[in-house]
């Protein structure tokens, strides 16, 4: 005769596991579900569907909406530009509850953006963060054009100035160069931030950079 499972024993085992793993989860926290490499694979596969016009529009049903009422478990966090042509859910062919997104002109990371993305990592279990710049970015173009003009340029252009400065004099198109440099600098800023650096060092979190090409629809990953 099969014995019924001992509930007390199961409970004790669960508590012991939580203690051993050092992570007694808070009510609004979730264990990481998807690894960084799996997350990146899912994003790039979705982008491939988008490029070829074979979107499957996953997780956009009424059932998905209802399922998410209880909570969210996004598998990636993305910082993208506010540009209306660069919505990550569309470029990566995903749906509700899949991607935790922060969008701001020029995909720069001020403290509010850093804290927003930090929430996805610490409380929602996200293990991959992507900084997504895009070609023909108006914000970066404005920063390049106005770079040598004197006076206060405001917080957004100020955030873009280091990228314009760092890419100055590089061969090729100055706007394209500044767009790439900006993504690299924002990746470094987030990876080195007091909020996230420990998890990046311990390889619990990966921060990557990509550039979206409006013409081809392709996301190019930066090395
Ligand atoms: Zn832009």
């Amino acid at each position: 005769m099969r014995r019924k499972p001992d509930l007390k024993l199961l409970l004790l085992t669960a508590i012991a596991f939580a203690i051993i793993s050092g992570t007694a989860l808070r009510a609004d926290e979730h264990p990481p579900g998807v690894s960084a490499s799996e997350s990146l694979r899912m994003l790039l596969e979705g982008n491939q569907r988008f490029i070829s016009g074979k979107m499957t529009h996953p997780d956009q049903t009424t059932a998905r909406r209802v399922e998410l009422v209880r909570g969210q478990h996004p598998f990636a966090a993305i910082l993208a530009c506010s540009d209306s042509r660069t919505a990550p859910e569309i470029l990566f062919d995903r749906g509700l509850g899949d991607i935790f997104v922060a969008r701001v002109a020029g995909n720069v990371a001020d403290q509010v953006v850093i804290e927003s993305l930090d929430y996805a990592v610490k409380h929602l279990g996200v293990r991959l963060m992507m900084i997504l710049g895009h070609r023909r970015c108006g914000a970066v173009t404005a920063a390049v054009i106005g770079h040598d003009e004197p006076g206060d340029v405001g917080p957004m252009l100020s955030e873009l100035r280091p990228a314009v400065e760092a890419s100055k004099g590089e061969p090729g198109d100055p706007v394209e160069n500044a767009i790439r440099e900006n993504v690299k600098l924002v990746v470094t800023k987030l990876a080195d931030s007091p909020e996230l650096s420990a998890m990046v060092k311990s390889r619990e979190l990966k921060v990557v950079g990509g550039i979206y090409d409006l013409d081809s629809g392709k996301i190019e990953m930066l090395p």
Side-chain angles (χ1 to χ4, degrees), residues 103-125:
R103 292 181 71 182
V104 59
N107 41 273
V108 293
D110 66 3
Q111 195 54 33
V112 175
V113 167
I114 292 173
E115 285 179 22
S116 301
L117 295 169
D118 181 52
Y119 178 83
V121 175
K122 303 273 174 62
H123 298 282
L124 306 177

Side-chain angles (χ1 to χ4, degrees), residues 42-209:
M42 288 163 72
L43 289 176
L44 295 180
E45 270 184 11
N47 180 235
Q48 202 52 52
R49 293 194 299 274
F50 174 72
I51 294 167
S52 58
K54 292 177 180 157
M55 290 84 85
T56 58
H57 307 290
D59 296 334
Q60 295 184 19
T61 60
T62 305
R64 177 64 167 172
R65 174 175 61 75
V66 171
E67 178 196 334
L68 289 169
V69 169
R70 283 173 281 131
Q72 54 171 328
H73 306 264
F75 67 84
I78 297 181
L79 167 57
C81 183
S82 300
D83 192 304
S84 64
R85 301 166 292 181
T86 65
E89 290 89 344
I90 296 176
L91 309 185
F92 294 108
D93 189 28
R94 300 304 314 193
L96 294 170
D98 291 339
I99 310 174
F100 191 96
V101 178
R103 292 181 71 182
V104 59
N107 41 273
V108 293
D110 66 3
Q111 195 54 33
V112 175
V113 167
I114 292 173
E115 285 179 22
S116 301
L117 295 169
D118 181 52
Y119 178 83
V121 175
K122 303 273 174 62
H123 298 282
L124 306 177
V126 162
R127 292 297 171 258
L128 180 84
M129 189 175 290
M130 182 186 288
I131 314 307
L132 184 61
H134 68 100
R135 301 186 70 186
R136 305 173 193 268
C137 180
V140 176
T141 304
V144 170
I145 291 170
H147 186 63
D148 295 321
E149 284 172 20
D152 184 13
V153 295
M156 193 263 287
L157 291 180
S158 295
E159 289 281 344
L160 288 167
R161 279 204 153 167
V164 179
E165 195 62 49
S167 58
K168 217 174 178 180
E170 282 176 11
D173 181 67
V175 173
E176 293 292 319
N177 293 339
I179 286 166
R180 300 178 89 82
E181 192 61 43
N182 181 47
V183 170
K184 287 182 195 169
L185 288 178
V186 176
V187 167
T188 305
K189 185 174 184 179
L190 280 156
D192 291 347
S193 67
E195 289 83 0
L196 300 171
S197 60
M199 289 186 73
V200 172
K201 282 196 189 92
S202 65
R203 295 173 185 269
E204 287 170 279
L205 172 69
K206 199 166 185 192
V207 186
V208 298

